[in-house]
Amino acid sequence: MPESPHARAAKREPDPHAFPLGRRLAAVLILLGCAARPPCLRGQSLDVAGGTSSFLDASGFQVGYEWQPVTGWLGLAAMNGVHVGGFLGTTYHGFDVGAGDRYYPFVLDTDVLDHSYIFYGRGLSVSRRSARDHWLLFGGKTALPLATPFLRAYQTDRAAGAFFYERRLNPRLILHSFNILSDKSTSVHSLGFQVDPHWKVSAAAGVGRGRGFFAAATQYRHDWLAVTGSYTANGEGFRRLSISNLPYPERTGGNVRVTLTPLPHLGFQLGHETVLSPLLNSSQSLRATLNSASLFSSIKGFSMNAGISASRGGTFSTQTRMFTVTRSLGRRLTAYGAILRIRTQNSQPQHLYLVTTEERLTRRLSLRQTFNEGTGTKSVGWGGRFLSNPLTVGIDYQTVFNPLAGGFGGRTLVQAWTVNLRIHLPGGITLHYDTFLDPFGRFRYTAFANGIRYNPAEKVLGPPVAAAQPSLGRYLVRGVVQDERGDPVWGVAVQVDGQYVYSDSQGQFFLRFRRAGEYPLKVVTERSLNPGGCQIVRAPSTVRAEPEKTAPPVVIVVRCGASNSRP
């Protein structure tokens, strides 16, 4: 019998750059064994991860190594070819000196609605920080980062030199200057002024890729009112960062976000945003506009959210309406419902109706049932979750009905088990395994392992001396990613000051920093592992790194597809 088009499409061409699965897992176990047994590699801390993913179409590993006063990492990625990455840094007479792949935040004081601008480079760098200022000098090439929970590597782009400078002029006034010399150079500067504890204003000006740039912004937050707004004058050719295959959208014109909470359990949010998104391999940009309004409230045990939005990009437009409600029925049962209506240009509206119930049988065991119906598809599913110290497992049985799949050689009815597994092994090693179904009923998986080993300084360097301090970051950023019901959401990518971390099966994440302070935070949904198509509901734009015992958790709220909140 000849193969159907769907069967042929389901087959993946072998990746000539990827290692066989058995060899990949063996390499990971060897590296993790080194992490668990310090004689293999001696250091104050060793962080190892490696794995493979058919969802991300990537395989590889990363090793982070710290031995005072040297810190570094090494990574390899089989991801659209084979790529490597690494860094080695130390401190010499108060100067931070490094060689290899690094990232540098490129955030102006006027970037009040987006803190995601990062300069990535491979080369030599030297920097110095004092109580009032911080400067950095870099020479090498710009680079494209390749990152997943288990690998890290860079792909170089074009030659570049950079000089970044920050100075606290007085307790309320700060200056930032960013200068990049390349075939497409950038020089942009900004000032931020804290008018009072509730109000901040800022301005920025400069050139990027030969085009002028000016921006002004304000932030106000007090009691029941929060206003964040900016105005930017730039042309379509302006680029603050020019890295191939890494387009950075720039806000243009007026952008504003207003949040009102007149009552403790009632709030409104209004927004207008316009961005210029560069097109790949082109000097042109796509202008996209989003207008939105939402309401959130909690009345007599019901948590409700409603929102409408209208977006337009080029000649394409979309209108969305959404309503969700959550109610706890006693101590063990929680019910969730949602209605979603989407209408794109020149098409009929699409509707989605979703109902989910979850029953907590014990503190460790819960069961879940889900039903959703949309345009052309219906699905029912049930599953459960078990949580313990050494093991976390989530199992779901999904039935997906798609009448259109038959016209493309696919199966109209798909039934399968999906599994999410976390196993904590001795020596600080954790195994991760996740599977899910794609719209054609094909399995996709992500499997990786990671571990960290920390040895006190006196075990590596001998008896302690006054200058000996562990190089592991003493300051912590921690948080939790959850949905609108308050349930944890796994596999969501969070970027803090250029570093990536993924929420675990309990929705939790953390990163360590060497210095306390405020860092930019961004939820990067396009890099997330969760297949539910998560959208950001609420997330802070900044977060503080504080000592581990006092670091407060930040809460990020996202909205995902059915059966993707809990693993």
Side-chain angles (χ1 to χ4, degrees):
M1 177 179 290
E3 287 186 316
S4 66
H6 172 71
R8 291 195 299 269
K11 292 184 177 180
R12 300 173 62 87
E13 293 294 330
D15 185 357
H17 305 291
F19 302 106
L21 179 60
R23 295 184 182 179
R24 286 185 295 212
L25 295 179
V28 172
L29 291 176
I30 292 173
L31 290 168
L32 292 172
C34 291
R37 299 183 62 86
C40 178
L41 289 173
R42 299 293 296 272
Q44 285 180 290
S45 71
L46 181 67
D47 187 357
V48 182
T52 183
S53 172
S54 62
F55 171 58
L56 298 170
D57 195 18
S59 302
F61 69 87
Q62 60 178 339
V63 180
Y65 186 66
E66 298 190 19
W67 187 351
Q68 185 183 343
V70 175
T71 181
W73 64 271
L74 177 67
L76 181 143
M79 192 175 184
N80 295 323
V82 176
H83 307 282
V84 297
F87 176 79
L88 186 66
T90 188
T91 300
Y92 181 74
H93 292 295
F95 293 89
D96 292 329
V97 182
D101 301 320
R102 292 199 66 180
Y103 65 89
Y104 310 96
F106 192 150
V107 180
L108 301 168
D109 295 280
T110 52
D111 293 328
V112 294
L113 292 170
D114 191 349
H115 294 79
S116 63
Y117 300 102
I118 304 290
F119 173 82
Y120 298 95
R122 172 178 292 176
L124 302 177
S125 63
V126 58
S127 65
R128 187 163 187 171
R129 182 184 296 271
S130 68
R132 295 190 61 183
D133 62 5
H134 175 219
W135 60 265
L136 178 143
L137 184 64
F138 167 85
K141 286 188 173 184
T142 60
L144 175 69
L146 307 172
T148 75
F150 52 83
L151 65 82
R152 179 166 43 159
Y154 279 56
Q155 180 180 352
T156 58
D157 187 25
R158 64 190 67 182
F163 178 71
F164 296 165
Y165 182 67
E166 172 189 317
R167 183 172 180 82
R168 177 70 62 177
L169 301 176
N170 63 49
R172 296 196 294 171
L173 184 63
I174 190 170
L175 165 72
H176 288 93
S177 178
F178 299 92
N179 305 273
I180 301 173
L181 180 62
S182 182
D183 60 336
K184 300 170 183 177
S185 299
T186 294
S187 181
V188 183
H189 322 278
S190 68
L191 284 170
F193 181 66
Q194 193 75 43
V195 180
D196 59 39
H198 310 292
W199 186 22
K200 181 180 179 179
V201 296
S202 54
V207 294
R209 206 174 182 177
R211 301 297 178 90
F213 169 87
F214 171 80
T218 184
Q219 293 173 282
Y220 180 83
R221 186 179 186 89
H222 186 57
D223 293 337
W224 54 272
L225 176 64
V227 179
T228 302
S230 66
Y231 177 80
T232 305
N234 55 353
E236 290 191 0
F238 173 81
R239 306 279 193 278
R240 75 174 74 186
L241 294 167
S242 297
I243 301 177
S244 299
N245 299 320
L246 188 63
Y248 280 95
E250 292 283 350
R251 295 183 183 272
T252 188
N255 291 265
V256 64
R257 187 179 301 158
V258 180
T259 304
L260 303 95
T261 52
L263 299 174
H265 302 292
L266 179 64
F268 307 88
Q269 187 173 84
L270 304 173
H272 170 76
E273 301 179 44
T274 303
V275 299
L276 291 174
S277 182
L279 301 176
L280 291 176
N281 303 318
S282 174
S283 60
Q284 298 182 341
S285 299
L286 175 68
R287 180 182 294 266
T289 302
L290 172 66
N291 296 301
S292 61
S294 61
L295 177 149
F296 45 93
S297 65
S298 178
I299 303 174
K300 294 184 178 181
F302 290 89
S303 297
M304 294 174 287
N305 290 270
I308 59 174
S309 65
S311 61
R312 176 176 292 275
T315 60
F316 188 79
S317 63
T318 302
Q319 296 179 349
T320 303
R321 298 178 183 177
M322 175 272 300
F323 175 77
T324 67
V325 59
T326 305
R327 180 70 160 89
S328 295
L329 306 174
R331 298 178 59 184
R332 296 182 179 271
L333 188 64
T334 302
Y336 169 81
I339 301 174
L340 181 65
R341 181 182 186 272
I342 302 176
R343 182 171 185 176
T344 57
Q345 187 174 4
N346 301 324
S347 67
Q348 294 296 321
Q350 299 182 19
H351 297 82
L352 173 67
Y353 305 94
L354 171 67
V355 177
T356 299
T357 61
E358 181 169 9
E359 183 177 6
R360 293 176 175 86
L361 301 180
T362 68
R363 294 181 59 185
R364 300 183 182 275
L365 179 64
S366 62
L367 299 178
R368 180 174 61 253
Q369 304 83 38
T370 300
F371 169 79
N372 68 66
E373 179 179 354
T375 305
T377 61
K378 294 181 180 179
S379 68
V380 295
W382 57 90
R385 180 173 183 263
F386 176 78
L387 173 66
S388 68
N389 290 331
L391 174 68
T392 299
V393 57
I395 301 177
D396 284 284
Y397 186 76
Q398 296 183 351
T399 301
V400 179
F401 176 67
N402 187 349
L404 297 179
F408 297 92
R411 293 175 292 171
T412 58
L413 185 66
V414 179
Q415 295 176 310
W417 292 96
T418 61
V419 178
N420 309 105
L421 183 65
R422 304 288 183 275
I423 302 176
H424 300 281
L425 302 179
I429 300 173
T430 303
L431 304 180
H432 309 253
Y433 181 74
D434 301 290
T435 67
F436 66 95
L437 288 170
D438 69 11
F440 289 96
R442 295 173 296 189
F443 269 106
R444 293 289 181 256
Y445 69 89
T446 296
F448 68 98
N450 67 295
I452 185 169
R453 179 75 184 188
Y454 174 68
N455 295 318
E458 58 268 22
K459 290 187 178 181
V460 180
L461 304 175
V465 295
Q469 295 289 337
S471 59
L472 199 63
R474 296 188 299 112
Y475 301 98
L476 198 70
V477 166
R478 73 169 99 226
V480 61
V481 182
Q482 61 187 33
D483 60 19
E484 294 167 297
R485 298 170 289 175
D487 290 333
V489 179
W490 68 275
V492 174
V494 180
Q495 183 189 63
V496 181
D497 193 35
Q499 297 189 61
Y500 282 94
V501 65
Y502 291 78
S503 58
D504 62 16
S505 58
Q506 301 179 54
Q508 299 177 356
F509 65 89
F510 73 91
L511 285 169
R512 292 186 178 273
F513 292 84
R514 292 189 176 187
R515 296 182 176 89
E518 189 168 290
Y519 294 95
L521 179 148
K522 183 184 180 184
V523 181
V524 190
T525 55
E526 61 270 20
R527 290 196 175 187
S528 297
L529 295 175
N530 195 306
C534 298
Q535 298 179 350
I536 304 169
V537 178
R538 291 190 299 277
S541 59
T542 60
V543 64
R544 287 194 62 83
E546 298 186 7
E548 183 170 354
K549 293 183 178 180
T550 60
V554 298
V555 178
I556 296 172
V557 180
V558 298
R559 182 183 304 117
C560 299
S563 301
N564 286 297
S565 296
R566 290 176 181 262

